[in-house]
Amino acid sequence: MGSPGPAREAAGAGATADAGLPFFRYHPDPVATGSVRASTRTCACCERARGWVYTATFYTAQEIDGPLCPWCIADGSAAARFTGEFTDSYGLDGVSRPVLHEVTRRTPGFSAWQDPHWLTHCEDAAAFPGEAGYRELARHPEASPSCGPPCVWTAGTTKTSWSTS
């Protein structure tokens, strides 16, 4: 799968589009999320210094000498050359093989305080816009109707759940 086109890229890519980076359908602004940052380092895959490097996790059994660039992620060459994935496939049940490969092999992953997993909806992967905490979700009540104010986390002996009590 390629880029969905210039209009969509310009509409949703923010800092990434401004920097001339490739568009990632499922992670539209990896600069804003911190998964890609400016750097003078050389990409371990294409051996070019392109001004940007990937900073999050890459799962591979191989030793990689240096960072990867967003272009080698976008075209799949980094995942192919190093037999790796940028995101675990956990949570991607029910998506097509092309979507699975686009998310795991051609989309920058992201760092999280727990093992991240990619969300899905209607047999497609969701786009990752960045972290969302209570403040962000409170501005978008339609995003999580079960987590209205005040949202309280409770941990029991057998169950962990969110409640609105």
Side-chain angles (χ1 to χ4, degrees):
M1 288 186 162
S3 170
R8 178 145 178 208
E9 290 178 25
T16 300
D18 295 341
L21 293 165
F23 177 72
F24 298 99
R25 177 180 177 193
Y26 296 111
H27 194 161
D29 201 351
V31 173
T33 65
S35 292
V36 170
R37 68 172 170 79
S39 174
T40 59
R41 296 189 64 196
T42 300
C43 174
C45 185
C46 68
E47 300 177 356
R48 295 172 60 189
R50 300 189 74 173
W52 297 92
V53 294
Y54 174 65
T55 63
T57 306
F58 182 61
Y59 302 96
T60 182
Q62 298 185 37
E63 290 291 323
I64 300 175
D65 187 27
L68 300 170
C69 75
W71 292 268
C72 289
I73 295 171
D75 69 13
S77 59
R81 179 173 176 185
F82 299 111
T83 316
E85 295 183 337
F86 296 95
T87 300
D88 186 11
S89 62
Y90 175 73
L92 289 166
D93 299 334
V95 301
S96 67
R97 184 173 295 282
V99 169
L100 176 69
H101 288 175
E102 183 172 352
V103 172
T104 61
R105 300 177 187 175
R106 295 191 315 275
T107 299
F110 58 91
S111 298
W113 68 277
Q114 290 185 323
D115 288 338
H117 71 275
W118 218 274
L119 300 177
T120 63
H121 188 277
C122 297
E123 299 177 359
D124 194 8
F128 177 67
E131 292 183 32
Y134 178 77
R135 285 188 203 120
E136 293 81 11
L137 289 175
R139 289 192 297 263
H140 300 282
E142 73 284 1
S144 183
S146 66
C147 195
C151 196
V152 180
W153 181 75
T154 58
T157 55
T158 60
K159 181 178 168 185
T160 300
S161 64
W162 286 93
S163 69
T164 56
S165 56

